[in-house]
Each structure stands twice: as C-alpha cells, then as structure tokens.
Amino acid sequence: MKRYVTGFLLILLVPLLLVPLLAGCGGRYNYAAHLSEVRSDIFRAETEEFTVTLSCISREYPYATDGVTCPISDLIELSVVPREITPETYSVYVLGEKTMGGEASFRNFAGDWFYSESVESFPTGTVSLRIEWGENVREITATSVRNEGTLTPAQALDFAVGAEKQYVDRMMRDGAFYGEFYVRLLRRDKNYYYVGIVDRSGGVCSLLLDAETGEVLAKREN
C-alpha cells in the first residue's frame, strides 16, 4: 500500500515539477517575429571612378512604418556612386552561377545609381560585380564589412530590447507585442547597427548601437 501511495504521488508531482522548466524554455518572448526590415550585410568596393555597395535586405511587403509586420522577402540593393558626374547611364551586375542585375536608376536625393532585385540567398564573404557605363566596363570584387566581432541582427535586436525594456513593455498587450522592428547594419568609420522600435501609431524609438559590443551610442524618439 505504501509503495502504491508513493508511486501515485510521483505521478502527480512530476508534471508539476516540469511546469517551471517548460516555462523557462519557452517563456522568452520572440521579438524577432516582429522584424519588418533587416539589413544583415554590406559589401563595398572602390575604384578611381566610383564606389559600389551591395546591401543584403530582408523586408516586409507592403512596406510601411505602422507597427505591423507583413510577410518578409529577401533582396539585394546595389548603389553606384561615381567620383564625377557623367552623362552615361550605369548598369550593374552580380556575377556567379546566375548573373543578376541590369540598368540602374539615378536617385537625386542620394546622388547614386540604384538597382534592386529579389534573391533566394545572400552572398557571403566576397561578391564579384560588373559595372558598365558608356563604353566602359569594370569587373571588381566587393568585400563584406562584417568581421568576426560583428553582432548578428538578432543579437543587435536583443541588446536594443534590453536597453529599452520599459519602452518595449508599454507595447505589450495580453502577452503579445504590438509593434515592429527595423535592424540595419551600417558602415561609417566602423560598423554600427540602427534599431528602430515602431509602435502602432507610427512612433519610432531609434537607437544607434556599436556593432561589436551592443552598446547604445545614441537615441532619438519621434
């Protein structure tokens, strides 16, 4: 009888003991599910004639700063900035097993020639490019700005949420997050991350993070 009672108590206790363990495993909120834009890598190359940048982007469609996350698709964005203004139109191509690219469009606000295309996967390490304008053709290799110490976008998001926990918590309703995030790798004198926390009214908390330590270097709300 004693053995029967002990066994019965164990049957009751084991599920109860598992509850905190299961809660600990699944209790962390998945903020990454609310990413509406991620710039995960940047490839750069320079010549005497131009600077070219290839950015790896995952972005929602339709794209809107409204705090609502829509389905994400992957694309590359190519930007060519000539050293001197020329009348020629630029075309840019990504070389590989499958050549991608085409004629770029001039953007007055950026002063560059811009091209974008959907992709199934992003390049890593280096990428071969061909730039054409007028009678000129140049083939160059662009190199990723990432290094071994560069945080991943997911890690950058974790640092941003940790730094702005009260701001993020105000956007929680019944255990769900009502907002969206933008995480963009930036390259200036070194690598940085921009993290935008967007609420349903379109308000944005913008953070500039050190891309290696996750330290918040600047903040702005609007």
Side-chain angles (χ1 to χ4, degrees):
M1 180 67 179
K2 183 177 181 181
R3 181 179 300 175
Y4 173 79
V5 171
T6 301
F8 182 72
L9 289 174
L10 285 173
I11 292 172
L12 291 176
L13 286 173
V14 167
L16 293 175
L17 291 171
L18 285 175
V19 167
L21 292 176
L22 293 174
C25 293
R28 187 181 180 189
Y29 192 84
N30 182 23
Y31 293 105
H34 300 275
L35 283 165
S36 291
E37 183 181 23
V38 178
R39 183 192 295 145
S40 55
D41 206 348
I42 301 170
F43 295 77
R44 288 175 55 86
E46 295 185 20
T47 72
E48 295 180 352
E49 298 145 320
F50 54 77
T51 298
V52 60
T53 302
L54 183 152
S55 299
C56 300
I57 310 288
S58 300
R59 181 180 292 148
E60 69 174 358
Y61 182 82
Y63 185 66
T65 305
D66 56 7
V68 179
T69 305
C70 295
I72 297 287
S73 59
D74 296 334
L75 65 151
I76 54 169
E77 294 184 345
L78 290 141
S79 169
V80 181
V81 181
R83 301 290 185 190
E84 297 180 359
I85 298 176
T86 62
E88 292 90 359
T89 296
Y90 280 75
S91 295
V92 58
Y93 299 91
V94 180
L95 307 179
E97 294 183 6
K98 176 185 177 183
T99 298
M100 299 180 293
E103 185 175 312
S105 299
F106 185 73
R107 301 190 298 183
N108 284 306
F109 73 91
D112 68 345
W113 292 87
F114 178 81
Y115 179 87
S116 65
E117 184 172 334
S118 298
V119 295
E120 295 181 358
S121 61
F122 293 129
T124 58
T126 61
V127 60
S128 297
L129 303 173
R130 185 173 74 245
I131 314 299
E132 300 177 358
W133 72 106
E135 301 296 324
N136 303 290
V137 178
R138 299 287 183 273
E139 291 191 3
I140 58 175
T141 299
T143 303
S144 171
V145 302
R146 298 185 62 88
N147 57 56
E148 293 181 356
T150 306
L151 298 172
T152 65
Q155 290 171 327
L157 178 60
D158 285 344
F159 276 107
V161 170
E164 293 296 325
K165 193 66 171 64
Q166 291 185 344
Y167 188 94
V168 171
D169 284 348
R170 291 199 298 269
M171 300 165 67
M172 300 292 293
R173 301 287 187 277
D174 299 322
F177 179 73
Y178 283 79
E180 62 183 341
F181 298 100
Y182 301 152
V183 179
R184 302 169 186 151
L185 181 64
L186 307 174
R187 178 69 183 183
R188 299 295 182 265
D189 57 316
K190 55 181 289 187
N191 289 342
Y192 300 92
Y193 270 107
Y194 165 82
V195 179
I197 308 172
V198 185
D199 63 28
R200 289 293 173 92
S201 66
V204 184
C205 175
S206 299
L207 305 175
L208 182 68
L209 274 61
D210 185 297
E212 294 190 0
T213 67
E215 177 187 359
V216 176
L217 304 175
K219 172 184 174 180
R220 183 180 66 186
E221 292 186 34
N222 61 339

